Amino acid sequence: MTRALFIIDVQNDFTEGGALGVDGGAAVAAGVSELLARHRGAYELVVASRDWHSGEGDNGGHFATDAEPDFVDTWPPHCVAGTMGAEYHPSLTVDEVDVHIRKGQGVPAYSIYEGTDDAGDTISELLGRHGITDVDVVGLATDYCVRASALDALEHGQHVRVLTDLVAGVAAESSNAALAELGHAGALIVTSSVVAEASGAAE
């Protein structure tokens, strides 16, 4: 078993005060940093994704430019490349991140699997190179990018755990539905205590 950690979109625009801020986003940033400070050794690979949208155009219909956003398929402008909104939340310590994935460069993109790193490699290529079999998923937002990333990880044959104390969503109902869907699809819906327990058992 070789495990990776996916840190999904812990960015200023998705945390409190941002263009699409969710309640609890800053706490997720701090919690992920604490997890890495205590249990970095649990992961062969730590990957962080960011929305990295174009500042021009509607990004393939992702940004609502001619009508009000429906907050399902169209959204207010957010996480525009090079802006503070696209940067990681300051409470997220990125020193322990091995790979940074950018997604949504001119097109809609929810899953980490839709992005690439600076060298142009996809997450599938990176996981294969490192022999990753298991993935823990944390970040924002539970009901959108966390959901899409975890479903894609399952689709690509990974054993997936979603750490529920380190995710936050747009709305409670849709977040609960997303976790139920992920559990039905085969993900383990657990808390980060499983990482501590496994680390203790390995000592």
Side-chain angles (χ1 to χ4, degrees), residues 43-66:
Y43 300 105
E44 170 70 20
L45 190 69
V46 176
V47 185
S49 71
R50 281 186 289 177
D51 271 8
W52 200 254
H53 295 304
S54 172
E56 300 179 359
D58 64 3
N59 286 268
H62 191 59
F63 285 1
T65 55
D66 298 325

Side-chain angles (χ1 to χ4, degrees), residues 8-177:
I8 306 298
D9 299 1
V10 182
Q11 297 169 262
N12 288 324
D13 268 348
F14 293 140
T15 54
E16 291 86 345
L20 288 172
V22 302
D23 290 340
V28 166
V32 173
S33 293
E34 183 177 355
L35 175 73
L36 287 173
R38 293 186 176 186
H39 305 296
R40 176 61 180 84
Y43 300 105
E44 170 70 20
L45 190 69
V46 176
V47 185
S49 71
R50 281 186 289 177
D51 271 8
W52 200 254
H53 295 304
S54 172
E56 300 179 359
D58 64 3
N59 286 268
H62 191 59
F63 285 1
T65 55
D66 298 325
E68 290 297 310
D70 63 17
F71 296 94
V72 177
D73 298 309
T74 62
W75 306 87
H78 60 276
C79 299
V80 172
T83 68
M84 280 301 298
E87 296 303 319
Y88 294 115
H89 188 277
S91 293
L92 178 68
T93 303
V94 296
D95 295 353
E96 299 292 349
V97 174
D98 299 304
V99 179
H100 300 271
I101 297 287
R102 294 176 177 178
K103 58 188 179 70
Q105 300 176 75
V107 296
Y110 294 90
S111 170
I112 193 173
Y113 281 81
E114 297 176 89
T116 58
D117 67 4
D118 290 341
D121 290 335
T122 66
I123 192 67
S124 295
E125 292 167 335
L126 291 162
L127 296 184
R129 192 175 303 150
H130 288 270
I132 301 297
T133 58
D134 294 64
V135 171
D136 287 354
V137 183
V138 300
L140 309 171
T142 311
D143 30 359
Y144 290 95
C145 295
V146 167
R147 169 187 174 273
S149 298
L151 285 173
D152 275 355
L154 289 164
E155 181 72 20
H156 284 78
Q158 296 293 324
H159 299 106
V160 176
R161 301 189 303 197
V162 179
L163 307 185
T164 57
D165 55 322
L166 297 177
V167 297
V170 173
E173 184 176 354
S174 53
S175 294
N176 289 336

